């Protein structure tokens, strides 16, 4: 039976995950997966299974990116070519990953999540963007389409499996494809909106969505997303990248502690 304590905990975690989605543009899955998996046991509640967490997370990301993406679009932080190139490709990969996730073990999901956090953290240690890159307007930004599509297809498959993974797009766009930080963040939310729609549909059609748990997290995340987007405009691009790096490092450390047997 689902307790009121669990519902309250999930709502609070949803607010936190949604806040970072609006602030940093990654949908919130990279925060929500470890939060939902590790926090309830620390409070004396039953641990949610990794497959359940993945289904709740992709539900939260889907609705958070709709809200956050529209907010960033109004501020002209969304690049149409990037979204139209990466969005459909990642959506196809996400649907395939979501459907196939029913046959994937919990251990595999945790290892995959750990590897993705290390990959993202590695990209964050590439040379920082030059000021000239950050000063580019939306109209001046150009991106090679084929590498973008291939990366988006691979990332989408991971997103469908885990319910998280959109956080890879922000460092990919900034450090590899040389997109200004704020445009990378806004565009990533729109990409996440597109790929999680198919991933969410895949899990919904295969009966993987726990509706009460998912709706609780989604409502909390909606509030947090709006708060995060409001704060975004008051923080420098450099500080946003630093927050992103610290957050991914902490998550990677916690996941690998579990995988290596130093924590449960």
């Amino acid at each position: 039976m689902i307790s009121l304590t669990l519902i309250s905990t999930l709502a609070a975690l949803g607010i936190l995950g949604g806040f970072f989605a609006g602030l940093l543009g990654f949908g919130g899955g990279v925060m929500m997966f470890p939060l939902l998996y590790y926090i309830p046991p620390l409070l004396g509640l039953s641990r949610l299974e990794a497959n359940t967490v993945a289904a709740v997370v992709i539900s939260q990301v889907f609705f958070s990116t709709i809200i956050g993406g529209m907010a960033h679009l109004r501020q002209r932080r969304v690049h149409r070519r990037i979204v139209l190139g990466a969005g459909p490709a990642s959506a196809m990969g996400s649907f395939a990953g979501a459907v196939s996730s029913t046959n994937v073990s919990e251990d595999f999901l945790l290892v995959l999540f750990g590897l993705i956090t290390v990959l993202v953290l590695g990209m964050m240690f590439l040379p920082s963007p030059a000021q000239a890159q950050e000063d580019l307007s939306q109209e001046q930004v150009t991106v090679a389409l084929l590498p973008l599509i291939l990366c988006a297809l691979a990332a989408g498959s991971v997103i469908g499996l885990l319910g998280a993974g959109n956080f890879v797009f922000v460092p990919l766009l900034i450090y590899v494809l040389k997109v200004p930080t704020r445009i990378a963040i806004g565009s990533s939310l729109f990409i996440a909106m597109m790929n999680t729609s198919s991933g969410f549909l895949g899990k919904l059609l295969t009966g993987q969505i726990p509706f009460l748990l998912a709706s609780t997290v989604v409502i909390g995340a909606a509030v947090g997303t709006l708060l995060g987007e409001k704060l975004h405009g008051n923080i420098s691009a450099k500080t946003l990248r630093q927050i992103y790096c610290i957050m991914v490092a902490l998550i990677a450390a916690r996941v690998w502690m579990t995988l290596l047997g130093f924590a449960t």
Side-chain angles (χ1 to χ4, degrees), residues 10 13-14 17-18 21 26-38 40 48-66 94 98 109-110 113 158-167 192-193 195-197 199-201 203 208-219 221-222 225 251:
L10 295 182
L13 295 177
F26 51 71
V30 65
M31 284 287 296
M32 291 308 301
F33 192 96
L35 286 176
L36 293 175
Y37 191 77
Y38 295 118
L48 300 176
E49 294 183 358
N51 286 328
T52 299
V53 171
V56 172
V57 166
I58 204 166
S59 304
Q60 174 264 320
V61 171
F62 173 65
F63 288 101
S64 289
T65 52
I66 292 175
S94 181
L109 290 175
L110 288 174
F113 189 81
V158 173
I159 292 161
L161 284 167
L162 291 175
N166 278 297
F167 62 99
M193 182 195 302
N195 65 44
T196 52
S197 64
F200 174 73
L201 179 63
K203 288 189 180 291
Q208 298 181 61
I209 305 293
F211 289 101
L212 179 57
L213 300 182
S215 60
T216 299
V217 173
V218 165
I219 291 170
T225 299
I251 293 170

Side-chain angles (χ1 to χ4, degrees), residues 105-198:
S105 70
E106 180 172 339
D107 288 341
F108 177 83
L109 290 175
L110 288 174
V111 171
L112 180 61
F113 189 81
L115 291 173
I116 294 300
T117 58
V118 171
L119 174 64
V120 171
L121 192 59
M123 281 194 284
M124 300 295 289
F125 282 96
L126 293 173
S128 297
Q131 189 59 46
Q133 175 182 327
E134 294 291 358
D135 291 340
L136 290 175
S137 67
Q138 187 182 117
E139 292 76 16
Q140 293 173 312
V141 174
T142 58
V143 176
L145 199 57
L146 182 58
L148 177 66
I149 290 173
L150 293 176
C151 291
L153 186 62
S157 300
V158 173
I159 292 161
L161 284 167
L162 291 175
N166 278 297
F167 62 99
V168 73
F169 282 109
V170 171
L172 176 69
L173 291 173
I174 295 172
Y175 294 98
V176 179
L177 299 175
K178 307 303 181 183
V179 176
T181 299
R182 296 192 190 280
I183 295 176
I185 288 173
S187 300
S188 293
L189 276 170
F190 256 79
I191 294 168
M193 182 195 302
M194 297 176 73
N195 65 44
T196 52
S197 64
S198 59

